[in-house]
Each structure stands twice: as C-alpha cells, then as structure tokens.
Amino acid sequence: LLPFLGAGQTHLIGIYKNEVAKGLRWLLDSQEEDGDLRGSTGQYPGMYAHGQAAIVLCEAFLMTGDEQLRIPAQKAIDYIVLAQYPDGGWRYYPKRSRRWMQGDLSVTGWQLMALQSALAANLSVPEETLELAGQFLDRVQHDDGAKYAYLPNDSPSAPMTAEGLLSRIYLGRKRSHPSLVEGVNWMLQEHPPEIDKPDIYYWYYATQTMHHFGGAQWELWNLRMRDVLVATQETRGHRAGSWTPDGPLVNRGGRIYMTSMAICCLEVYYRHLPIFRQLEL
C-alpha cells in the first residue's frame, strides 16, 4: 500500500483504487479495538508491522481527507504512544509485554515515521512522546550524533546511522547541525549505493535522509540510487517490474518487501516534501 499511495493511488482515485480500497479494508478489519495493527498473532516482527500499517492509514487519511480513516489512524498512533518503552524507544513487542526493558533504533525509526505522518495529517501526537524518543536517540548515538547504533553500547552502522539521522530530522534537528552534515557525508563517501552490495533497508532510510538534506549530497546519492535500482529491476517474465530479494534480512520479507522498498526509494520525490528546502515547481 505504501508504494501505491506514493504513486498517488488511493481508495478514491486512480487506476488501482479498487486494489487500494481492498488493502485498506483488510487493514481496518485486522485492527484491534485498542488500535493494534501487529497482525493476528502479535508475534515478531509485531511493532515493525504496526508502524508500517500506521503510516499507511495516516497517509491515506492525509491524502483523501476520508473521515472514515481518522479514528483508525488516530488509534494506531495512540497504540504507538502506549507501546513506547521507558527509555524512549520501541521494540518488537509493546512495552506492556515486558519482554525487553529497552528499545532498539530499527523499530523506533518506523514508529517515528508514523508519528511524523500523523503530525502531517493533523492527528494528535503527545509532545512528551517525541521528547522521550529524542532521549533514546541520545543513548544510541556515536560521534556526537553523527552515527548511530542498533542498541546502546553497540557499534554504529550505516543502516542505523541513516535511520538515526532521519529520526533527528523529524525531531527538529537543523540542516546546519554539524552532526547531521558529518553523518550525511560519511554515508555518501563510505557507504554509497553499490550494485554489488545491495542493502535495501539502508537505502530506504538513507534516501529519505539525503532527500531532506538536499544539496550536492542529495544529487550524488540520487544519481547512484536511481541507476542501481533501475539496473536491478526484473524486466522479463512473470517477475517483470519487481526486484529479486538480495542483501541483509530480505529473506524475511521476500520479493514483495524488496520491491516495495525499492519503489518507495524511487518515489521519495513524491512521498515527502523536503523539510529543509522548497521544491522548485
């Protein structure tokens, strides 16, 4: 649904409106009364699924203004607020499960994107939730906030740095902040998109970070990202148009996951208004 929405397809307009409508209806029918969208079993990767589904509901509501989506979207956001751990992060399971006592940056990033989508749609997001999330980012940062790790005391990585920097941007960090500049340049120079080193999770977050950052860094990243994705898209047979799962962790999501993430990278121009710069129309 995220790639459909990014292409301007909603349940009200577009050549795929019937497919989007069916997908949204399935999500709404699957949502628990308390807003839970983790799925019927609530098992791993629970809060990943919830965060992504919450983004869908918020974006669909923002794009269409369909009042039937307001309450389900708000409930999904309320669930995220209640699921936050005391350290400010989120994990596979909500806080009340008590399976862990601390969040991780990977799950946290998806929840922050959902909260950002909610704010854009004028839904209610408690300021304390965002402040606490900022404190969690302080715990997983390295090099004064230029790099980020999965958990406190872990070593920083490119995917977590991309997710951490995007989270900082959403929480108000300015483009001129030295840590943001350093982190963006580090990703571009040390971990650019390479066709023989696929990492779609990293590319997804880094593309958004670069898009918001703008400037020469975005231009360079976008050229490489675009060329790698176009070159690796399937063009023949029943898999034409998709991307073959390749790289870290993609075996968990398969072809649908890989393809959806790749499309979202290519749709970044349409999905997100750049925060630090005005679009030239």
Side-chain angles (χ1 to χ4, degrees):
L1 284 171
L2 287 172
F4 276 124
L5 292 171
Q9 304 287 324
T10 74
H11 60 298
L12 301 181
I13 191 170
I15 61 175
Y16 296 109
K17 64 182 181 182
N18 291 335
E19 286 78 7
V20 175
K22 290 178 182 178
L24 286 173
R25 175 50 53 195
W26 186 87
L27 278 184
L28 296 177
D29 289 344
S30 303
Q31 188 175 37
E32 301 292 339
E33 184 59 32
D34 61 358
D36 187 355
L37 284 162
R38 292 179 297 150
S40 58
T41 62
Q43 300 299 310
Y44 175 88
M47 287 305 295
Y48 279 111
H50 181 86
Q52 292 162 3
I55 294 169
V56 167
L57 293 184
C58 290
E59 288 196 3
F61 174 59
L62 172 63
M63 292 173 68
T64 65
D66 185 349
E67 284 296 324
Q68 295 183 73
L69 296 174
R70 179 187 292 275
I71 292 178
Q74 184 63 63
K75 281 187 173 183
I77 295 303
D78 294 342
Y79 189 86
I80 290 175
V81 172
L82 292 175
Q84 189 176 30
Y85 280 64
D87 69 347
W90 284 265
R91 204 72 186 263
Y92 309 132
Y93 300 89
K95 176 181 64 177
R96 66 173 180 266
S97 71
R98 298 187 179 180
R99 289 176 181 250
W100 287 281
M101 297 305 294
Q102 63 179 4
D104 71 60
L105 180 53
S106 183
V107 177
T108 295
W110 288 102
Q111 314 315 311
L112 284 175
M113 282 205 297
L115 296 177
Q116 177 71 12
S117 296
L119 289 171
N122 290 317
L123 297 174
S124 176
V125 178
E127 185 63 34
E128 314 87 79
T129 301
L130 302 177
E131 291 176 359
L132 200 57
Q135 294 173 24
F136 172 77
L137 291 175
D138 292 341
R139 295 185 177 94
V140 293
Q141 73 176 18
H142 290 256
D143 298 339
D144 296 323
K147 300 174 186 175
Y148 290 83
Y150 176 67
L151 292 170
N153 302 319
D154 279 2
S155 299
S157 68
M160 292 301 97
T161 293
E163 195 161 349
L165 292 177
L166 181 64
S167 298
R168 289 293 196 189
I169 290 172
Y170 282 154
L171 292 176
R173 181 152 292 180
K174 303 300 182 184
R175 185 184 190 276
S176 58
H177 198 286
S179 66
L180 184 56
V181 175
E182 182 180 343
V184 163
N185 287 332
W186 177 75
M187 290 193 299
L188 185 61
Q189 294 166 11
E190 302 297 328
H191 299 279
E194 296 184 53
I195 198 167
D196 58 345
K197 295 180 181 178
D199 191 340
I200 197 64
Y201 189 94
Y202 165 55
W203 293 350
Y204 174 77
Y205 274 102
T207 298
Q208 293 180 76
T209 301
M210 295 289 181
H211 171 66
H212 289 306
F213 189 81
Q217 291 90 338
W218 160 241
E219 298 296 335
L220 288 171
W221 178 273
N222 185 44
L223 286 173
R224 297 193 64 161
M225 179 83 279
R226 179 197 65 188
D227 289 352
V228 167
L229 288 178
V230 170
T232 54
Q233 187 181 32
E234 298 280 355
T235 58
R236 296 180 180 180
H238 69 282
R239 293 175 174 175
S242 70
W243 278 263
T244 298
D246 195 8
L249 302 177
V250 296
N251 61 308
R252 292 187 177 273
R255 186 171 296 273
I256 292 292
Y257 165 77
M258 184 80 179
T259 299
S260 296
M261 295 285 271
I263 294 172
C264 285
C265 288
L266 293 172
E267 288 177 344
V268 71
Y269 326 97
Y270 321 121
R271 294 182 62 82
H272 306 283
L273 285 174
I275 291 176
F276 300 132
R277 58 198 170 92
Q278 223 172 349
L279 284 174
E280 295 180 8
L281 301 178

